[in-house]
Amino acid sequence: MKTAEIAQRYLDYFEKNGHVIVPSASLVTDDPALLFTVAGMVPFIPYLSGDVPAPYKRAADVQKCLRTLDIEEVGHTPRHGTFFQMLGNWSFGDYFKEGAIRFAWELLTTPDAEGGLGFDPKDLWVTVYEDDDEAHDLWLTLTNLPEERIQRLGKDTNYWSTGLPGPAGPCSEIFFDRGPAYGVDGGPATDDDRYVEIWNLVFMQYEITNVQSKYDFDIAGELPNKNIDTGMGLERVAFIKQGVDNMYETDQVRPVLDKAVELSGRTYGAVHEDDVRFRVVADHVRSSLMLLSDGVTPSNDGRGYILRRLMRRAIRSMRLLGVDGPTFKDLFAASRDAMKDAYPIVVEDYARIEQYALAEEATFLRTLAAGEVLLDDSVADAKATGRPTIGGPEAFLLHDTYGFPIDLTLEIAEEAGLTVDRAAFDELMLEQRTRAKADARARKRQLADTSVYRDLRAQGETIFTGFTDLETESSILGILVDGVSVDRATSGQIAEVILAETALYAESGGQVADKGVIVGPGFELEVLDVQRPVAGLISHTVEVTTGEVGVGQPATTVVDAVNRRAAQQAHSATHLVHAALRDTLGKTATQAGSLNRAGYLRFDFSWGQALSDSTKSEIEEIANNAVRDNLEVTTRVLALDEAKALGAQALFGEKYGEVVRMVDIGGPWSRELCGGTHVAASAQIGLINLVGESSVGASNRRVEALVGLDAFRSLAAERALVSQLTSTLKTPREQLPARIAELTASLKAAEKKIAAFEAKALGDRAPQLAGAATAVGNFRVVAENAGVAASGDDVRTLALQVRDRLGTDPAVVAIGAEVGGRPVVIVATNDAARSAGAKAGVLAKAAAGILGGGGGGRDDVAQGGGADASALTAALAGITAALEAV
């Protein structure tokens, strides 16, 4: 049974049993505590917690999930994957334990031919929470399971909570027994891989408080509405139903594994280490494909870092399988073809996905090449000094700074007959992880408790009137101060205010929040920010500037019309720039983030190279031609599928419901799903002035533009500057580039002559300095501050000239100078001095320490530097003192 068929049977069954089928949410979650959707319940958290009323009593879905907590287990066990799909059925105050158990058992044990999943009851085991007699008895009465196959387990496995105050409850898990060939007898309590958990039924029935840990808390009482949250692992069911040993061999994953086998020339099933690597490649390539399809791009932090890590682990595994060259073109295509039936987006958007994948692979292959050079130096140094080991800090530097995998470091070191101080490396890794976890915990502690909005959201959605009105009369529903609900706020306080209606736009979709005021009888509130803390609720952060505001009072929201108009200009201009980019560069140049505020727009898009001046001019001209043509701006509210069928761009990072708002500028030329505010016609934008284009990471570019009056003022300032230059240089405007180039060339020629003169003057001092050499211990020494020099090379030349004049006796020359405002010391030694123990690199490093910097080099000539030029005399004296001790 194919994976997609299992998913469809699941949805068909629950739809037949009165459940609303909900589309999968993105892997990128709105939850600020999470980077990704790590479990099927994440999109439903607002409904399960009661913060937002559920729009349905029963629901079912197939949710995309990504979890990297157990990434080191990938490939080693039959069930650990980073990307997985969770089948879930949900009840919000409707059916409870009996319904959940009955549905699960019926679907699992109904024969294939009758639309079920066809599991034999004799292969199924069940666990319940040790104190949950109700669930235990229901399993006995609703199924034909014998008592011995219903096991009671503790909180660590059979009790669900978030680890925070709120909803919690016991759970019941269903396991499939793979048979004696896979492990010991005894059921799930043995914690053996023989028993595969396929379905978890969470009975969310309690409110918990005084939470000390995930398993240490107090039960405050029962929830007013008991919920059901279930999750069945699609990949786990698939590998059982398809008769294979693990999830990597199922129909959605195996094609990538097979392609890796083909590219490597090795055999799957022959060597355990190779098998693990094949599975890692299959899993990580699929995960990367799905992350890219949801708009995540490789970067050095956050979600992008996780994606980059997955892709680089796949590249590393292919390398350990003997493939040094690029493989992603073939591997990603294989994954696309395996996943396209379940997720058509991977085909529709494949050109962009492939662009990012190939760029990241090329970058990392260059990183590996550079890392190997550094590692070769470490190997050579270890051998030269007789050390059998490469230090842990060196290996960590390669890993942390250069992205060079520790596995490759170990492999290359072993080939050279060396070992790596793995204990020191692991200690440094542990310190880094500890810091990261501490940062994550601190960030989690800083998150607002959204339960404070629960009662306010229960009163209904905040109605936004700002598409048509700049003023709206309403009433104060709630006031929060420091996250606590209060009855009133007084002059000088900062508070959050919730109203039934508002004309003020809440920040979203790249458009910043409106400015404005909220006024009422005897009070005035300055609006500092407007946000949506939970779905459907708009919160205004305000400063009470006059009087006192209380819950229940009438209030009028007043939008700053000038600021709103300028923000609308910028937002509409962003749509025009997006369309112009796609016209110029092609459909793969898709938006990857934006910021729109009054007079300014910033637009990120997927592209792998800098734009030429002519391309930037073309984009700017297309956008401004659209302004000139006064294109009509229209909005429509329609079904998401209908909007996509009309070609509307659904932008990455945005979340869309079943009904969406589509904004057209000039009909289909610019057609995007957008909840922001816009001008009525493109001429109202005024002017778009592209002022910047830069890189924001691999395969991502950013354009910046000024809009409307800000664009005009910028161009006016440039006009004034050009006018000043034409007057000062007495040159017509059209001849300015040539005149400035002429002056620049003359300046460079003059600087070159001056540098040559200064270098000659410095070199002329060599005889004098050599003649002034003094005896220090066994050495003839010149330690001189030469003053100001044009370059470090001039100082080096002088030091070498002086050394050459000192003959064959042991001689050390140290010349200091100030170069570009910073101190430089060059140390040169002759053969006799080095034989006597004077090493230029050691002496330069000592001098640099006094200068507040670093240095070193070869034994014959070396350089040191720092930040404190006033310490040059002391640094040179330090070299003399060091020679006295040799």
PDB file of all heavy atoms in Angstrom, residues 107-122:
ATOM      1  N   LEU A 107     -10.457   1.783  12.155  1.00  0.00           N
ATOM      2  CA  LEU A 107      -9.668   2.074  10.954  1.00  0.00           C
ATOM      3  C   LEU A 107      -8.496   1.111  10.821  1.00  0.00           C
ATOM      4  O   LEU A 107      -8.224   0.598   9.726  1.00  0.00           O
ATOM      5  CB  LEU A 107      -9.154   3.516  10.995  1.00  0.00           C
ATOM      6  CG  LEU A 107      -8.233   3.932   9.843  1.00  0.00           C
ATOM      7  CD1 LEU A 107      -8.929   3.767   8.492  1.00  0.00           C
ATOM      8  CD2 LEU A 107      -7.744   5.360  10.015  1.00  0.00           C
ATOM      9  N   LEU A 108      -7.817   0.842  11.915  1.00  0.00           N
ATOM     10  CA  LEU A 108      -6.645  -0.032  11.844  1.00  0.00           C
ATOM     11  C   LEU A 108      -7.006  -1.461  11.447  1.00  0.00           C
ATOM     12  O   LEU A 108      -6.294  -2.095  10.655  1.00  0.00           O
ATOM     13  CB  LEU A 108      -5.924  -0.051  13.200  1.00  0.00           C
ATOM     14  CG  LEU A 108      -5.078   1.166  13.574  1.00  0.00           C
ATOM     15  CD1 LEU A 108      -4.565   1.041  14.998  1.00  0.00           C
ATOM     16  CD2 LEU A 108      -3.906   1.339  12.605  1.00  0.00           C
ATOM     17  N   THR A 109      -8.094  -1.979  11.967  1.00  0.00           N
ATOM     18  CA  THR A 109      -8.376  -3.412  11.802  1.00  0.00           C
ATOM     19  C   THR A 109      -9.374  -3.721  10.697  1.00  0.00           C
ATOM     20  O   THR A 109      -9.589  -4.889  10.375  1.00  0.00           O
ATOM     21  CB  THR A 109      -8.899  -4.005  13.124  1.00  0.00           C
ATOM     22  OG1 THR A 109     -10.094  -3.313  13.517  1.00  0.00           O
ATOM     23  CG2 THR A 109      -7.842  -3.878  14.211  1.00  0.00           C
ATOM     24  N   THR A 110     -10.005  -2.685  10.107  1.00  0.00           N
ATOM     25  CA  THR A 110     -10.886  -2.941   8.964  1.00  0.00           C
ATOM     26  C   THR A 110     -10.032  -3.418   7.788  1.00  0.00           C
ATOM     27  O   THR A 110      -8.987  -2.841   7.495  1.00  0.00           O
ATOM     28  CB  THR A 110     -11.653  -1.664   8.573  1.00  0.00           C
ATOM     29  OG1 THR A 110     -12.497  -1.286   9.659  1.00  0.00           O
ATOM     30  CG2 THR A 110     -12.484  -1.884   7.325  1.00  0.00           C
ATOM     31  N   PRO A 111     -10.442  -4.494   7.100  1.00  0.00           N
ATOM     32  CA  PRO A 111      -9.626  -5.040   6.004  1.00  0.00           C
ATOM     33  C   PRO A 111      -9.345  -4.019   4.908  1.00  0.00           C
ATOM     34  O   PRO A 111     -10.116  -3.083   4.676  1.00  0.00           O
ATOM     35  CB  PRO A 111     -10.489  -6.198   5.475  1.00  0.00           C
ATOM     36  CG  PRO A 111     -11.364  -6.572   6.633  1.00  0.00           C
ATOM     37  CD  PRO A 111     -11.644  -5.299   7.353  1.00  0.00           C
ATOM     38  N   ASP A 112      -8.239  -4.237   4.207  1.00  0.00           N
ATOM     39  CA  ASP A 112      -7.859  -3.361   3.085  1.00  0.00           C
ATOM     40  C   ASP A 112      -8.991  -3.234   2.077  1.00  0.00           C
ATOM     41  O   ASP A 112      -9.287  -2.141   1.588  1.00  0.00           O
ATOM     42  CB  ASP A 112      -6.626  -3.936   2.359  1.00  0.00           C
ATOM     43  CG  ASP A 112      -5.374  -3.876   3.216  1.00  0.00           C
ATOM     44  OD1 ASP A 112      -5.425  -3.280   4.308  1.00  0.00           O
ATOM     45  OD2 ASP A 112      -4.344  -4.432   2.779  1.00  0.00           O
ATOM     46  N   ALA A 113      -9.612  -4.349   1.764  1.00  0.00           N
ATOM     47  CA  ALA A 113     -10.634  -4.358   0.720  1.00  0.00           C
ATOM     48  C   ALA A 113     -11.850  -3.530   1.090  1.00  0.00           C
ATOM     49  O   ALA A 113     -12.625  -3.114   0.221  1.00  0.00           O
ATOM     50  CB  ALA A 113     -11.058  -5.802   0.436  1.00  0.00           C
ATOM     51  N   GLU A 114     -12.011  -3.243   2.381  1.00  0.00           N
ATOM     52  CA  GLU A 114     -13.162  -2.463   2.837  1.00  0.00           C
ATOM     53  C   GLU A 114     -12.793  -1.017   3.180  1.00  0.00           C
ATOM     54  O   GLU A 114     -13.551  -0.299   3.830  1.00  0.00           O
ATOM     55  CB  GLU A 114     -13.789  -3.150   4.063  1.00  0.00           C
ATOM     56  CG  GLU A 114     -14.318  -4.543   3.760  1.00  0.00           C
ATOM     57  CD  GLU A 114     -14.814  -5.255   5.004  1.00  0.00           C
ATOM     58  OE1 GLU A 114     -15.157  -4.551   5.996  1.00  0.00           O
ATOM     59  OE2 GLU A 114     -14.841  -6.507   5.004  1.00  0.00           O
ATOM     60  N   GLY A 115     -11.596  -0.607   2.752  1.00  0.00           N
ATOM     61  CA  GLY A 115     -11.181   0.785   2.960  1.00  0.00           C
ATOM     62  C   GLY A 115     -10.394   1.038   4.215  1.00  0.00           C
ATOM     63  O   GLY A 115     -10.021   2.184   4.489  1.00  0.00           O
ATOM     64  N   GLY A 116     -10.123  -0.013   5.018  1.00  0.00           N
ATOM     65  CA  GLY A 116      -9.343   0.162   6.236  1.00  0.00           C
ATOM     66  C   GLY A 116      -7.865  -0.039   5.976  1.00  0.00           C
ATOM     67  O   GLY A 116      -7.404  -0.086   4.826  1.00  0.00           O
ATOM     68  N   LEU A 117      -7.083  -0.143   7.064  1.00  0.00           N
ATOM     69  CA  LEU A 117      -5.645  -0.318   6.936  1.00  0.00           C
ATOM     70  C   LEU A 117      -5.216  -1.771   7.094  1.00  0.00           C
ATOM     71  O   LEU A 117      -4.047  -2.101   6.916  1.00  0.00           O
ATOM     72  CB  LEU A 117      -4.917   0.570   7.954  1.00  0.00           C
ATOM     73  CG  LEU A 117      -5.116   2.079   7.729  1.00  0.00           C
ATOM     74  CD1 LEU A 117      -4.381   2.883   8.789  1.00  0.00           C
ATOM     75  CD2 LEU A 117      -4.652   2.493   6.341  1.00  0.00           C
ATOM     76  N   GLY A 118      -6.156  -2.653   7.438  1.00  0.00           N
ATOM     77  CA  GLY A 118      -5.905  -4.077   7.348  1.00  0.00           C
ATOM     78  C   GLY A 118      -4.924  -4.667   8.333  1.00  0.00           C
ATOM     79  O   GLY A 118      -4.281  -5.686   8.035  1.00  0.00           O
ATOM     80  N   PHE A 119      -4.763  -4.082   9.519  1.00  0.00           N
ATOM     81  CA  PHE A 119      -3.882  -4.677  10.523  1.00  0.00           C
ATOM     82  C   PHE A 119      -4.583  -5.863  11.190  1.00  0.00           C
ATOM     83  O   PHE A 119      -5.775  -5.807  11.481  1.00  0.00           O
ATOM     84  CB  PHE A 119      -3.507  -3.651  11.587  1.00  0.00           C
ATOM     85  CG  PHE A 119      -2.436  -2.680  11.152  1.00  0.00           C
ATOM     86  CD1 PHE A 119      -2.764  -1.483  10.531  1.00  0.00           C
ATOM     87  CD2 PHE A 119      -1.104  -2.977  11.368  1.00  0.00           C
ATOM     88  CE1 PHE A 119      -1.780  -0.594  10.137  1.00  0.00           C
ATOM     89  CE2 PHE A 119      -0.112  -2.095  10.973  1.00  0.00           C
ATOM     90  CZ  PHE A 119      -0.446  -0.899  10.349  1.00  0.00           C
ATOM     91  N   ASP A 120      -3.798  -6.910  11.447  1.00  0.00           N
ATOM     92  CA  ASP A 120      -4.321  -8.068  12.175  1.00  0.00           C
ATOM     93  C   ASP A 120      -4.308  -7.728  13.666  1.00  0.00           C
ATOM     94  O   ASP A 120      -3.259  -7.361  14.214  1.00  0.00           O
ATOM     95  CB  ASP A 120      -3.433  -9.284  11.899  1.00  0.00           C
ATOM     96  CG  ASP A 120      -4.054 -10.577  12.417  1.00  0.00           C
ATOM     97  OD1 ASP A 120      -4.782 -10.527  13.437  1.00  0.00           O
ATOM     98  OD2 ASP A 120      -3.802 -11.628  11.814  1.00  0.00           O
ATOM     99  N   PRO A 121      -5.439  -7.828  14.354  1.00  0.00           N
ATOM    100  CA  PRO A 121      -5.483  -7.489  15.785  1.00  0.00           C
ATOM    101  C   PRO A 121      -4.439  -8.207  16.624  1.00  0.00           C
ATOM    102  O   PRO A 121      -3.977  -7.677  17.631  1.00  0.00           O
ATOM    103  CB  PRO A 121      -6.903  -7.894  16.194  1.00  0.00           C
ATOM    104  CG  PRO A 121      -7.701  -7.775  14.936  1.00  0.00           C
ATOM    105  CD  PRO A 121      -6.776  -8.208  13.830  1.00  0.00           C
ATOM    106  N   LYS A 122      -4.046  -9.418  16.206  1.00  0.00           N
ATOM    107  CA  LYS A 122      -3.077 -10.174  17.007  1.00  0.00           C
ATOM    108  C   LYS A 122      -1.692  -9.528  16.993  1.00  0.00           C
ATOM    109  O   LYS A 122      -0.830  -9.860  17.828  1.00  0.00           O
ATOM    110  CB  LYS A 122      -2.989 -11.609  16.510  1.00  0.00           C
ATOM    111  CG  LYS A 122      -2.345 -11.804  15.159  1.00  0.00           C
ATOM    112  CD  LYS A 122      -2.258 -13.263  14.769  1.00  0.00           C
ATOM    113  CE  LYS A 122      -1.656 -13.454  13.381  1.00  0.00           C
ATOM    114  NZ  LYS A 122      -0.297 -12.870  13.248  1.00  0.00           N
TER     115      LYS A 122
END
